[in-house]
Structures are given as structure tokens and as C-alpha cells.
Amino acid sequence: MQEFSVECTEEGCGAEFDMKGGEALVERWKCRHMDRTGHRRFWETWGRATILAPPPGAVVASQIVGHRAP
């Protein structure tokens, strides 16, 4: 699941919105904020959780083949 965050960067505002799973809601929030305030500058951040496995043949790979997360 992705997480999105947007912050108004107009001087003195600092309004923020965070959303998990839906970029469209962030876009709607920006549009509504712009309509209400006239602010047009935002800082967006997004991220998603990832799991990285060692490449095939790596020394560690043989140790986690049968390992299950708790």
C-alpha cells in the first residue's frame, strides 16, 4: 500500500494532508485547498513498503529460504 502526503508551502499556511492508499484523494485535497485559499505551491511526499531479498546464490539466501516472519 502506498502512502501520500502533501503540504501547502505558501508562506504562513502549512496546511497538510496525509492519505494511505489513494493518490486521487490527495489531488482532490490540493484542488479544494487552492479553491479556498488561492495557494498553488505544494510539497508532495509518497512512499511504499518494500521487502528486499538477497540475490540468488548469496550466502545469506540459503539461511532465509526456510525462514518465516513471526
Side-chain angles (χ1 to χ4, degrees):
M1 177 184 297
Q2 291 184 334
E3 296 182 14
F4 300 89
S5 175
V6 63
E7 178 182 355
C8 179
T9 57
E10 295 285 348
E11 189 173 331
C13 184
E16 296 181 51
F17 181 76
D18 295 316
M19 181 65 205
K20 293 183 179 180
E23 185 176 12
L25 291 175
V26 172
E27 293 299 317
R28 278 185 272 190
W29 181 87
K30 287 191 306 185
C31 289
R32 283 194 311 264
H33 185 74
M34 184 182 71
D35 287 345
R36 284 192 311 267
T37 64
H39 297 169
R40 298 171 45 119
R41 298 174 191 266
F42 300 92
W43 181 263
E44 296 182 0
T45 308
W46 65 271
R48 65 176 180 240
T50 62
I51 298 173
L52 183 64
V59 174
V60 180
S62 64
Q63 296 174 357
I64 56 174
V65 167
H67 180 72
R68 291 181 169 250

